[in-house]
Amino acid sequence: ELRRNGTPEIVFGGVVLAVVGIDYYLQQRNDQQRSKMIRQFEEEVKQDEEVSRKEERELINNNGGAAMKPKFQCVVRVVPQQFDGHKCLTNLKVGDVVNVLQEGVGPDN
């Protein structure tokens, strides 16, 4: 009698619909969490850039870094096409001489 009126098909369709709904909800929640993490990361990067810019302004205001004595001089042998980060040497050409004020700085240190 249950097979004639379509009850199994209705139950199966309801279960499939429930599973699809739950999957959709979980995907939306996952997307929201990912977006929140990305926003937090972007905020941290902005704060780090602001601190770096402030330190750079302070260094420039101290006689353009003249207060620091250079450790040694180097000749630029290669200029990479793209520097990573917001603190880098700009307007350099191969053969330019630069003063090294501090060693061991960069993203790995």
Side-chain angles (χ1 to χ4, degrees):
E1 177 96 13
L2 290 177
R3 294 189 92 191
R4 288 187 195 163
N5 63 8
T7 302
E9 289 84 3
I10 292 173
V11 170
F12 179 73
V15 169
V16 168
L17 198 59
V19 168
V20 168
I22 291 170
D23 182 56
Y24 178 77
Y25 168 76
L26 293 175
Q27 285 180 358
Q28 291 298 319
R29 190 176 73 176
N30 192 19
D31 289 345
Q32 289 173 352
Q33 289 174 343
R34 186 176 298 128
S35 296
K36 183 179 176 182
M37 286 178 18
I38 289 172
R39 280 194 306 272
Q40 287 176 345
F41 179 69
E42 288 173 347
E43 285 296 320
E44 290 175 7
V45 168
K46 285 180 185 178
Q47 290 174 355
D48 183 50
E49 286 177 349
E50 288 176 17
V51 168
S52 296
R53 285 188 188 114
K54 182 180 176 186
E55 290 173 354
E56 189 173 325
R57 271 188 248 113
E58 289 174 359
L59 179 65
I60 290 171
N61 290 338
N62 283 340
N63 300 324
M68 295 178 69
K69 293 187 178 182
K71 293 188 174 195
F72 54 90
Q73 291 186 333
C74 287
V75 176
V76 176
R77 296 179 190 255
V78 176
V79 179
Q81 288 187 356
Q82 182 179 18
F83 281 111
D84 285 336
H86 53 276
K87 282 188 167 182
C88 59
L89 300 172
T90 57
N91 300 325
L92 284 180
K93 298 178 189 118
V94 175
D96 287 350
V97 177
V98 294
N99 291 327
V100 176
L101 302 175
Q102 192 175 5
E103 292 181 90
V105 295
D108 295 336
N109 297 324

